Amino acid sequence: MEAENCTQVSKFLLLGLSDDPELQPMFFGLFLSMCLVTVLGNLLIILAVSSDPHLHTPMYFFLSNLSLADICFISTTVPKMLVNIQAQNKDISYIECLAQAYFLSTFAGMDNFLLTMMAYDRFVAICHPLSYTAVMNPRFCVLLILLSWFIIFWVSLIDILLVKRLNFSTSTEIPHFFCGLAQLLNVATSDTLINNIFLYVSTALLGMFPMTGILFSYSQIVSSLMKMSSVASKYKAFSTCGSHLCVVCLFYGTGLVEYLTSAVTHSSLRTMMASMMYTVVTPMLNPFIYSLRNKDVKGALGRLLSRAAPCP
């Protein structure tokens, strides 16, 4: 098939999870439900944090930003898939595909940075409690957020600009339910060496440094906990980290499964299932983890819902 420059390609074909028409209503209902639960759950976390003065702390400031990033993360992929299922159409325009890949990379990167900030917050709170207020001041927290957005904005933009120089065949089929950088590089007909080098280097740097920061923070936290004589003090200190640890394990665990699945297996279905865990299930579970395991968030949600409930 004759390859043409990607600026002349008007659309791609997203093959989706299945071609079976009998399964389409089930997929539509399943993904619509997960999308609504994710948006509602994370929106409740944002409202609870913003409305409760007890949660106006750095940890919950980062949590509300994580919830916002998760809403944007799932909104990048699922709505387009639902539209295609409903319209019985697999087309996605070239611009839509690049935009989807850009925002996926951006919001995944922000999740990564925010989890690192939350780990650093717990490190300062437990290991250096007397300096906590001075170190984790509002100005510093906002600066961390803005710096993270700036870095991930430019890294994702460079990735997309490098994709624009690639060639694609007409009516290119993408064996997935969304457009990601890896999927676009796999279906390109021109040399992707530069793209792969930049993608691997940026992923390694933006993935390994935050992960190293999280591991260092928790190693210091565990070391500080071991020095505490009171069991109650140990439990109280570590209980503030429990929800964050669960989210970190879920985020990096599903991300690792997605990477290993795409690298080891040639089955597009297995790759898509692993991607679904990372891009859909993880953002949906985060609010449940924080609302069920964190007493402060649970209490704030209860007060929020009680205020919203109509008086008898």
Side-chain angles (χ1 to χ4, degrees):
M1 185 179 289
E2 182 182 355
E4 58 182 73
N5 189 278
C6 65
T7 56
Q8 298 172 336
V9 173
S10 61
K11 65 181 180 181
F12 297 103
L13 296 177
L14 289 175
L15 299 185
L17 292 170
S18 174
D19 290 328
D20 190 346
E22 295 183 358
L23 294 177
Q24 300 310 307
M26 183 192 71
F27 285 137
F28 183 86
L30 176 63
F31 280 91
L32 178 61
S33 300
M34 289 194 292
C35 185
L36 292 176
V37 169
T38 302
V39 173
L40 179 60
N42 283 289
L43 189 58
L44 283 175
I45 294 290
I46 295 172
L47 291 175
V49 171
S50 60
S51 64
D52 196 318
H54 296 94
L55 300 185
H56 292 175
T57 63
M59 180 66 174
Y60 296 110
F61 171 69
F62 294 139
L63 175 60
S64 60
N65 278 272
L66 179 67
S67 293
L68 178 61
D70 281 342
I71 291 174
C72 298
F73 194 28
I74 196 170
S75 300
T76 303
T77 57
V78 175
K80 178 59 180 176
M81 183 180 64
L82 295 176
V83 169
N84 282 3
I85 292 175
Q86 187 68 17
Q88 298 182 352
N89 182 23
K90 297 183 178 182
D91 294 352
I92 182 170
S93 70
Y94 174 72
I95 297 299
E96 282 181 315
C97 191
L98 291 188
Q100 198 173 70
Y102 171 80
F103 287 116
L104 266 176
S105 177
T106 299
F107 296 126
M110 274 307 298
D111 273 8
N112 197 19
F113 282 138
L114 286 164
L115 290 174
T116 308
M117 295 177 212
M118 295 167 78
Y120 179 70
D121 174 85
R122 293 299 86 202
F123 160 69
V124 178
I126 295 174
C127 300
H128 306 283
L130 299 179
S131 305
Y132 180 76
T133 305
V135 174
M136 301 303 295
N137 60 79
R139 185 177 179 180
F140 178 66
C141 294
V142 172
L143 181 62
L144 285 177
I145 295 290
L146 294 177
L147 182 62
S148 299
W149 277 114
F150 179 81
I151 293 172
I152 202 64
F153 169 83
W154 283 107
V155 171
S156 300
L157 183 61
I158 293 172
D159 271 321
I160 295 303
L161 292 176
L162 289 174
V163 169
K164 283 181 66 65
R165 53 182 285 277
L166 299 178
N167 298 328
F168 298 91
S169 300
T170 55
S171 301
T172 297
E173 295 182 347
I174 298 177
H176 220 293
F177 63 92
F178 63 79
C179 285
L181 289 171
Q183 286 74 39
L184 286 170
L185 297 185
N186 287 337
V187 299
T189 57
S190 55
D191 183 35
T192 59
L193 178 61
I194 297 176
N195 299 73
N196 283 319
I197 290 175
F198 184 80
L199 180 61
Y200 289 142
V201 171
S202 61
T203 301
L205 292 177
L206 298 182
M208 290 304 298
F209 277 114
M211 188 61 190
T212 302
I214 292 173
L215 291 174
F216 172 78
S217 296
Y218 274 104
S219 68
Q220 295 300 305
I221 289 172
V222 171
S223 177
S224 296
L225 292 179
M226 295 299 292
K227 296 175 183 177
M228 294 181 181
S229 56
S230 171
V231 176
S233 299
K234 291 180 180 180
Y235 176 79
K236 183 178 179 181
F238 194 75
S239 64
T240 63
C241 306
S243 302
H244 179 256
L245 265 178
C246 290
V247 172
V248 166
C249 293
L250 184 64
F251 180 79
Y252 286 104
T254 54
L256 181 62
V257 169
E258 182 190 22
Y259 173 77
L260 293 177
T261 303
S262 60
V264 173
T265 182
H266 297 288
S267 170
S268 59
L269 181 59
R270 291 182 181 179
T271 302
M272 282 189 283
M273 295 302 292
S275 297
M276 185 180 71
M277 290 293 297
Y278 181 69
T279 60
V280 180
V281 176
T282 298
M284 181 184 69
L285 292 181
N286 286 351
F288 291 100
I289 293 173
Y290 272 99
S291 60
L292 294 176
R293 293 187 57 88
N294 190 297
K295 293 181 180 179
D296 294 333
V297 175
K298 189 187 300 185
L301 284 172
R303 289 187 290 272
L304 177 67
L305 294 176
S306 65
R307 288 197 298 268
C311 298

